[in-house]
Every structure is written in C-alpha cells, then in structure tokens.
Amino acid sequence: MSSKTGAEPRLRSLALRLTLWYAGSAFTLVLVATGYLYWALVQELTEEDDDWLAGKVTEVLRAVEARGADGTTLRQQVEAGGGRAGERILVRVDDARGPTPVVIETPGLSAAVPLSAFSDQTGAAHDYRSAAGRLYRLRSERGATGTVVVRAAMDRTEEDELLEGHRRRLSYVLILSLIASTVGGYRIARRGVRPIKGVTATARRIGPARLDERLDTRGLPAEVRDLAETFNEMLGRLEDAFARLSRFSADIAHELRTPVNALCAEVEVALGRPRDPDEYRDALTSCLEECGRLSRLIDSLLFLARAENPRTALQTLPLDVTEELTAIREFFEPAAADAGVTIAVDAAPGLFAPVDRVLFQRAVANLVANALAHTPSGGSVVLAAERESAGIRLDVRDSGSGIAAADLPHIFDRFYRADKARTSVSGRVGLGLAIVKGIIEWHGGTASATSGLGTGTTVTLRFPAGTG
C-alpha cells in the first residue's frame, strides 16, 4: 500500500508523462528506421551474394557440360572463383555416377565446409558457420543430365564483420538517440507546462482578500488560455458571491440589530422605575411585536436557505392556477377594499400547472401584498395567467408608484429596498421578492419585472411545463 501511494505522485506529473511519451515516440521512430535500414542492407547483400553464387555455379555447369570434367577451363574456374567484392568462392564438382564422387574442387573446400553442410535441394542457398567461425553462403546445383552436381561456398566472413560493425554503430546511435530524445522531451515538457505553473502560482496567490486579481492570458497556449479564462470566469463568480455574501451578512446584522435594540430599550424603560400593570402590559406587547418581527425575519432566511438547497424536494401536484388566483384575490379583497384598490383575476378557467401549492400561494401572496402596499387609493391590482409554449406565465400588475430604473435590476436581491424610508416604517425587510425569486427558481422557472415611475409595476413569473 505504501509503495503504491509513494509511486503515484511521480506518475501524475504531467512533465514526466510528456517526457516519457516524447522519448518513447522518438526512440521508437529511430529504432524502426534504423532497424529497417539494417534489414534492407542485409537483404541487398544477400541477394547480390546469391546472384554471384548462382552465376558461378552456372558457369561451372556450362564448362562441365561443354568440355567434360577434365577440361582446363573447368579447373581455372573452380580454382579462381571470386565474389561480388572479391569474396572467395569455393567450388566442388561431383559425379553422381562414379565410384569416386569428387571430380574436382577448390583446394581447402572440404576442410572448410564438410559435404554434409550442403543441402540436397538444388537451387537453394543458405548460410553456414564453420567450426573456425567463418561464415559461408552455400548453394548446390545439379546439371541438366543429372550426373554432375556443382556445390559452391562463398566466404562471407568479411561481409559478416562489416555487418557486425554496422550493428555496433547502430547500437551507439540508438543509445544516443534515447538519451537525446529523453533530454529533448524533458526540455519540451518543461517548456510546455511552464504556463501551467504560472497559472498555478497566480491561483495560489488568490485568496478571499484578492478575488479581484485575474490570470494573465496573454501569450498562453490555446488550451491553457481556455483553462485560464474559465478560471477567471470562476473568480468573477466567486467575487460576486463573496460580495453578495458580505452584503447579506451586513444586512442580516443590521436587520437583527434594530429589533434587538428595540427590545432592549423597551425592557430598560420598563425596568427604569416601578410601573402599574397596564404599563407593564404595554411594554410586553411592544416586546412581543419585536419578537414577532425577529421570528418572521428568521423564518424568511431559513426559507431562502432551504430553497437554495438542491437536495430539498418539491411537493408538486397539478394545480388549477385560475382557481388558486381567485382564492388569493378573495383573501386580499378586504385589505384591498380598505386601501381603496380594486383587485381582479384575468385567467382562463382550467389552467393547470405542476407546482407546489404552498410555495405558489406564498409567492403570489408576496407579490399581491407588495402591489397593494405601493398602489394608492383608486388604483388596481390584476392577477393574470396564461399558457405559453414552455409553461405557464403569471403576471401581477399594479397601477402603483412604480420603481425607478436604477432600482429595478436589484428588486429581487435580498434586503434590497427601493424606498428604504417607507419599508423601514412598515416593517418590511426586503426579503419578499427574494423569496418569490427563490420559489420560482426552485421550480425551475424565472422571475422578472418591468416598471415605470407613476405607471405601475408588472412582475412576471414563468413556471415551466415540466416542473417537479
């Protein structure tokens, strides 16, 4: 176990892998090239030797058939035979019919090459290494009458030594090429991974306090540039998330401090001097209101945290959207009447969507409550729904004061309040629309808003058809 884990870090090195791949590929290429060249050289020399040997055997056979076994020309050819590069060719002529088989032979042939070394197969050549270590190429040929057999042996010892010298030099070339390819592969690998090391060094410097730093992508290879740009995009998202988290933490501290300070003040005033029961009751009632505000704030934060948890499952069922909007309108109708605002539903009957009913009610109720809070007397709030190709579209339109263009992109952010003075007085903490956005995104939909100062606001929720 320990040996295995100790070897893994070196194998994981990209530079080492690149070095091995490059050295292996380069050395294999050189090995194949040199091997082929050596094989081609051996084949060419052997073919030339065979041609010379066959020519010599043919000349001797012609001399025997033309002038008989006792001719002077035959003796000269038998004793003076030479190869392609002056190699010595030894010849033996046998009479297959006579009691003494050997008719004539080059002096020394029987001592160098025994008769048993020759093959009985006519026309074929093969190598033979003598006891003295000399290499011979042997060939036998039978005459046309079948009574004469010519056997020839070419001494290839010098050629063998030449090839041995080639093999030795090629081995030197292969060793040098292996060293050169390894060194070259290592240098190339080091140069190739140098940009990655630069990216790594920069990434190590980046921490929570330096999230604004980015990797320099100038001059990087295309593959590493893609990685660096992706990393920069991730840093951008992290920076934005850290900024939002910091604002969120500050907002939470601010929103919690207000009711806690109010509670402390109420208690200090109540305990400042002896009071009658009615005064204590009023102080406790005020404390209870602040506790309720704290509880609602904590519930909202917990709900948002739960909505952002990907493991939290929705309880979706086909919901009659028109019927549900009508129920919500009836719930808010008394409050709307008190505010002098008309509230209506504009949706065709039988409009169904697969949504979580409780979450749907909470999202729409938040939007209606927000619309009523910002719509003056004489205005209107309309809950409209219709089917789209991708799902259900739900609009909550009001004819209220509207939202400034600078505030509109931020109205779904947590604790963001366009009218801070009014919301502070009304007890709103800026989480209502954030909860609406969390609910619709939990369903896989989207939330958006359009508005104009003095012309009202429309918040649009789109629930996908395949929700749940």
Side-chain angles (χ1 to χ4, degrees):
M1 182 69 180
S2 58
S3 59
K4 181 179 178 181
T5 54
E8 284 182 350
R10 287 193 297 174
L11 293 177
R12 287 174 181 170
S13 168
L14 180 59
L16 178 59
R17 291 186 180 187
L18 290 175
T19 301
L20 293 177
W21 290 341
Y22 179 83
S25 301
F27 180 72
T28 301
L29 183 62
V30 173
L31 178 62
V32 171
T34 54
Y36 174 75
L37 291 175
Y38 177 77
W39 174 83
L41 175 63
V42 171
Q43 288 297 113
E44 185 175 355
L45 292 176
T46 301
E47 289 176 1
E48 290 184 358
D49 289 345
D50 287 346
D51 290 341
W52 276 94
L53 202 56
K56 187 65 179 180
V57 171
T58 300
E59 289 178 0
V60 173
L61 277 175
R62 286 176 180 171
V64 171
E65 291 171 356
R67 300 178 180 85
D70 297 329
T72 305
T73 304
L74 174 61
R75 180 170 298 279
Q76 291 175 348
Q77 290 184 349
V78 168
E79 295 180 355
R84 166 181 48 82
E87 295 91 346
R88 188 183 181 195
I89 297 180
L90 310 177
V91 180
R92 172 189 177 112
V93 180
D94 290 333
D95 185 351
R97 299 168 303 176
T100 304
V102 180
V103 176
I104 187 171
E105 70 173 12
T106 305
L109 172 60
S110 298
V113 182
L115 181 61
S116 59
F118 289 92
S119 172
D120 293 334
Q121 185 179 359
T122 183
H126 65 280
D127 287 329
Y128 168 76
R129 189 174 293 279
S130 68
R134 302 189 72 83
L135 182 65
Y136 292 92
R137 187 75 175 171
L138 307 182
R139 180 184 178 95
S140 300
E141 193 79 33
R142 187 178 291 273
T145 59
T147 59
V148 177
V149 177
V150 177
R151 295 181 173 88
M154 176 185 284
D155 189 348
R156 303 180 68 191
T157 302
E158 293 184 1
E159 188 177 298
D160 185 46
E161 292 174 352
L162 175 66
L163 292 176
E164 184 180 357
H166 276 292
R167 289 195 297 271
R168 185 169 56 254
R169 286 188 286 272
L170 288 178
S171 65
Y172 296 155
V173 170
L174 290 176
I175 293 173
L176 290 176
S177 67
L178 178 60
I179 296 173
S181 59
T182 302
V183 174
Y186 177 74
R187 294 176 67 87
I188 292 174
R190 293 278 297 178
R191 178 170 296 184
V193 301
R194 189 176 301 161
I196 298 178
K197 288 191 173 182
V199 171
T200 304
T202 305
R204 281 180 179 154
R205 291 197 305 269
I206 297 176
R210 305 181 65 174
L211 284 176
D212 57 336
E213 188 171 346
R214 295 293 182 270
L215 301 175
D216 187 2
T217 60
R218 293 175 298 179
L220 292 178
E223 296 82 359
V224 182
R225 188 189 308 121
D226 291 343
L227 174 64
E229 290 175 350
T230 304
F231 189 77
N232 283 340
E233 293 173 0
M234 184 190 70
L235 285 177
R237 293 193 295 271
L238 283 175
E239 183 181 13
D240 181 64
F242 265 74
R244 286 190 288 111
L245 183 61
S246 298
R247 290 195 302 269
F248 184 57
S249 301
D251 290 339
I252 288 178
H254 175 75
E255 296 301 332
L256 290 177
R257 184 180 61 185
T258 301
V260 169
N261 287 342
L263 276 172
C264 292
E266 291 287 348
V267 173
E268 287 176 356
V269 170
L271 296 178
R273 61 179 176 80
R275 300 178 184 275
D276 57 42
D278 290 338
E279 290 177 322
Y280 282 124
R281 186 178 295 106
D282 292 340
L284 290 175
T285 301
S286 180
C287 289
L288 184 60
E289 291 176 354
E290 295 302 331
C291 288
R293 182 181 177 187
L294 274 175
S295 178
R296 289 192 297 275
L297 175 61
I298 293 171
D299 287 343
S300 298
L301 292 174
L302 289 176
F303 177 84
L304 287 172
R306 191 161 59 95
E308 290 181 350
N309 186 350
R311 291 178 294 182
T312 306
L314 287 172
Q315 302 296 325
T316 57
L317 290 172
L319 180 70
D320 189 329
V321 174
T322 304
E323 184 178 307
E324 201 63 35
L325 293 180
T326 302
I328 294 173
R329 177 185 62 80
E330 292 174 350
F331 178 81
F332 280 97
E333 203 159 29
D338 291 343
V341 177
T342 60
I343 181 169
V345 173
D346 179 14
L351 197 61
F352 284 87
V355 297
D356 187 305
R357 183 170 183 265
V358 175
L359 297 180
F360 179 85
Q361 289 175 338
R362 183 164 187 175
V364 178
N366 278 1
L367 294 178
V368 174
N370 199 54
L372 289 176
H374 294 87
T375 302
S377 177
S380 64
V381 174
V382 178
L383 311 180
E386 62 180 358
R387 183 174 300 282
E388 291 183 330
S389 58
I392 297 295
R393 168 176 174 155
L394 171 63
D395 290 333
V396 177
R397 296 192 294 267
D398 67 63
S399 59
S401 57
I403 303 171
D407 295 322
L408 194 58
H410 307 290
I411 61 172
F412 291 105
D413 294 347
R414 297 174 183 180
F415 297 112
Y416 189 84
R417 290 162 296 188
D419 188 350
K420 297 177 174 56
R422 284 183 56 184
T423 52
S424 176
V425 172
S426 63
R428 297 178 181 276
V429 295
L431 288 176
L433 292 180
I435 290 176
V436 171
K437 183 184 178 186
I439 290 174
I440 189 64
E441 289 182 347
W442 199 357
H443 283 78
T446 60
S448 59
T450 58
S451 183
L453 288 176
T455 60
T457 302
T458 299
V459 178
T460 301
L461 306 181
R462 284 186 167 87
F463 291 89
T467 298

